[in-house]
Amino acid sequence: MAFRGGAKRSLGSFLCNRVLNTSYSSSSTCTASAAANGRGFSTWVSSRRSSFAQAKEIPTSIPLKFANTQCGSALFLRRFSVGTSSSSSSDQMSLIKQLRERTSAPIKDVKAALIDSNWDIEAAQKELRRRGKVLASKKSSRMAAEGLLALAQNESKAAVIELNCETDFVARNDIFQHLALALAKQALLVESSSQLVSGVFHIPSEDLEDLKLNLEHPKVSGETTVQNAITEVAAVMGENVKLRRGIVMSTNSHGVVSTYLHTSPQPGLGRIAGILSLSVEDKNSQLDAIQRVGSQLAMHVVAAKPLFLTKELVSSDALESEREILKSQAESTGKSQMAIDKIVEGRLRKYYEEVVLMEQKFIMDDTLTVKKLLENLSTEVGSPVKIESFFRMEVGEGIQRLEASSASENLAQAI
C-alpha cells in the first residue's frame, strides 16, 4: 500500500513537471528570466484560454511555488466576473416575473419593455400600458364574439351586460371578469331614461361609456371612466374588448325579479342569462313561493328559448311567415285543400307551444304548461300571479350571423 501511494505521488510530480516544461517551451514570449521567476505560468494561461474550466483546474496540479501573484489575480477576476453575470441574470428573471405578475402581459412584451427601460420596473410598467393602449386601438375593429354576461341585482331590479372579447381564454381571466361585474353594478344604477319595452330597459353602450367606474383589482385599480377601463383591460389582455349591450328589468313593489345564469364560472357571471319578473295582486302574499317558482321559470327561459309571452303577442309578420312555410310543406303531400288547412292549423298550435312562453311545457314537469304552473302558484299564495316580462340573453348571439351577412354583401359587391 505504501509503495502504491509513493508511486502515485511520483507519477503526479512527473506529470506536473511535464506540463510545466511543455508550457514553457511552447510559449514564444517566454524568456529564460521569466521562466526562472515562475512568470511563465501566467503566459501559459493566457495562451491557452479555451475555457474557464481548463484555467481553474490548473492550480490543483501545480505546486504552490508556481502559483504567483499574477496567476491568482487572473483566476480571481475570472471567477468574479462569471459570478456577477450569473447574479445579474437571476435579477433580470426576478424583474420579469414581478412585472408579469403586475400586468399579466405576455412574457415577450414584458422582457422587451424592461430592456428598453434599462430594467427599471416602474418605467417598464408605464411603457407596457402605453404600448397596450396603442395596440388595443388597432385591434378594436377585430371581431369579438366571445365573452361573458354579468348580472347585478337588488330587490326590485336586475341588470345584465354583455362584455365581449376575442377568445374564451381572456373570458376566463380574473381581470376581465372583474371588469364585467363592475360594469353590471354600474348598469344597475342607471335610471330608466331609455325606451321602455315590456318592463325591459335597453341601455346603449354609449350611455355607459362616460360613466365613472371604480375598479378594485390588484392589477387594474382606481377610478376612471367605463371607456378608459375597457381600453385598459384590452391593453392588458392584448385583445379587442367591447361592451356590447346592457338591459335592466324592474318590477313593482308587489313582485319579484328572478334570474338564472347558465355556464357560470363564478356568482354573477355566465354565458346565458334568463330574467323574469312576476307580480302578485295582493301585496301581503308570501313571496317565498313566488321567488322559488320565479327561479325555476328563469331557468325555463334559458332552456326553452321562448320568443313571445302570450299567443296574442306573437307578431303578425312571424305568424304569416310560419303559416306560409307550413302551407308549402302541406301542399307537397298532394292532399285536398281542406286537409291542407287542417294540417296548417294543427302545426300552428305546435308552433305556439314552441315559441310562446305561456304555452310551453314546463321543463321541470312536462305534464304542466307554464300557464298551468302559474295557476297552481296563484292558488298556493291566495292571489293571482302573472308574468310581467321576460328576457333571454346569450353571449355572441347575432354576431356570427352579422359577420356572415357582411361577408356575403362584400362578395356580391366584388362580383
Side-chain angles (χ1 to χ4, degrees):
M1 294 299 292
F3 175 77
R4 289 183 179 178
K8 287 184 178 180
R9 284 194 293 273
S10 299
L11 181 59
S13 300
F14 172 77
L15 291 175
C16 180
N17 293 332
R18 183 66 178 271
V19 169
L20 289 175
N21 292 336
T22 304
S23 303
Y24 294 141
S25 62
S26 62
S27 176
S28 59
T29 58
C30 181
T31 62
S33 59
N37 293 329
R39 296 186 181 182
F41 174 77
S42 178
T43 305
W44 185 85
V45 171
S46 62
S47 64
R48 304 188 115 192
R49 57 174 69 182
S50 60
S51 71
F52 177 74
Q54 291 176 338
K56 72 177 184 178
E57 287 176 0
I58 291 169
T60 62
S61 305
I62 299 176
L64 290 176
K65 65 179 180 179
F66 293 106
N68 55 30
T69 305
Q70 293 180 1
C71 171
S73 300
L75 292 177
F76 174 76
L77 288 174
R78 288 189 182 188
R79 288 194 180 99
F80 180 77
S81 62
V82 171
T84 303
S85 176
S86 176
S87 176
S88 176
S89 176
S90 176
D91 292 342
Q92 291 173 3
M93 290 301 296
S94 177
L95 287 172
I96 291 173
K97 182 179 179 182
Q98 290 179 41
L99 188 55
R100 166 73 171 164
E101 291 175 349
R102 283 191 190 184
T103 64
S104 294
I107 292 179
K108 179 181 178 182
D109 296 341
V110 167
K111 185 176 181 181
L114 282 168
I115 292 174
D116 292 345
S117 305
N118 198 24
W119 298 96
D120 183 338
I121 191 170
E122 299 298 334
Q125 185 171 355
K126 293 180 181 179
E127 177 64 15
L128 272 177
R129 295 179 70 178
R130 186 191 66 79
R131 292 181 184 180
K133 290 180 179 179
V134 172
L135 290 175
S137 63
K138 292 180 179 179
K139 295 174 180 178
S140 60
S141 61
R142 298 198 323 211
M143 188 187 71
E146 292 292 335
L148 286 170
L149 304 178
L151 168 70
Q153 186 175 2
N154 58 28
E155 293 181 356
S156 61
K157 189 164 61 172
V160 178
I161 63 97
E162 179 180 359
L163 186 65
N164 296 124
C165 56
E166 297 177 43
T167 64
D168 184 62
F169 176 79
V170 168
R172 295 195 301 269
N173 188 281
D174 61 334
I175 299 176
F176 183 88
Q177 294 180 1
H178 179 80
L179 174 62
L181 289 170
L183 290 173
K185 292 176 182 177
Q186 189 64 47
L188 191 64
L189 302 177
V190 174
E191 295 298 328
S192 56
S193 57
S194 302
Q195 183 180 5
L196 175 64
V197 182
S198 301
V200 179
F201 300 96
H202 292 263
I203 308 175
S205 59
E206 308 85 57
D207 293 353
L208 290 172
E209 288 179 348
D210 294 331
L211 298 178
K212 292 293 184 180
L213 188 69
N214 188 22
L215 298 177
E216 299 178 352
H217 192 276
K219 297 177 182 178
V220 182
S221 60
E223 184 175 342
T224 183
T225 64
V226 169
Q227 186 175 12
N228 288 339
I230 293 172
T231 303
E232 182 78 15
V233 172
V236 173
M237 297 293 98
E239 285 192 9
N240 181 19
V241 176
K242 183 178 180 181
L243 175 60
R244 185 185 178 198
R245 54 181 171 167
I247 68 105
V248 174
M249 180 180 290
S250 59
T251 187
N252 56 40
S253 58
H254 307 326
V256 298
V257 175
S258 300
T259 60
Y260 172 74
L261 286 170
H262 187 64
T263 316
S264 178
Q266 62 168 296
L269 296 174
R271 288 187 58 85
I272 310 175
I275 311 175
L276 189 91
S277 64
L278 292 171
S279 65
V280 58
E281 290 186 4
D282 186 0
K283 64 179 181 179
N284 296 319
S285 300
Q286 294 294 326
L287 295 181
D288 291 344
I290 299 175
Q291 290 172 342
R292 170 176 52 81
V293 174
S295 298
Q296 295 173 350
L297 285 173
M299 186 186 300
H300 174 95
V301 168
V302 168
K305 303 180 182 180
L307 300 178
F308 308 98
L309 177 58
T310 65
K311 289 193 295 184
E312 293 73 22
L313 294 176
V314 177
S315 66
S316 58
D317 291 340
L319 190 59
E320 287 303 317
S321 176
E322 187 66 21
R323 188 185 296 274
E324 288 298 322
I325 293 173
L326 295 176
K327 184 177 180 181
S328 177
Q329 292 174 349
E331 288 176 346
S332 64
T333 63
K335 295 183 179 180
S336 64
Q337 186 61 42
M338 183 179 296
I340 290 175
D341 291 341
K342 289 183 178 180
I343 291 173
V344 170
E345 293 304 317
R347 290 181 179 177
L348 275 178
R349 286 193 296 271
K350 183 68 174 177
Y351 172 73
Y352 285 135
E353 292 175 3
E354 291 176 352
V355 300
V356 176
L357 177 58
M358 297 296 288
E359 305 299 322
Q360 288 179 335
K361 292 182 178 180
F362 185 41
I363 60 167
M364 300 184 69
D365 184 357
D366 59 7
T367 63
L368 298 174
T369 62
V370 173
K371 182 190 294 185
K372 184 62 177 176
L373 177 69
L374 288 178
E375 291 175 359
N376 295 343
L377 177 61
S378 300
T379 302
E380 181 180 351
V381 300
S383 179
V385 179
K386 68 176 183 178
I387 299 174
E388 291 183 332
S389 57
F390 73 92
F391 194 82
R392 184 185 187 276
M393 184 186 294
E394 186 170 351
V395 170
E397 58 186 352
I399 294 180
Q400 298 288 353
R401 180 175 55 81
L402 291 174
E403 182 193 44
S405 175
S406 177
S408 300
E409 182 179 352
N410 293 336
L411 179 60
Q413 292 176 353
I415 296 174

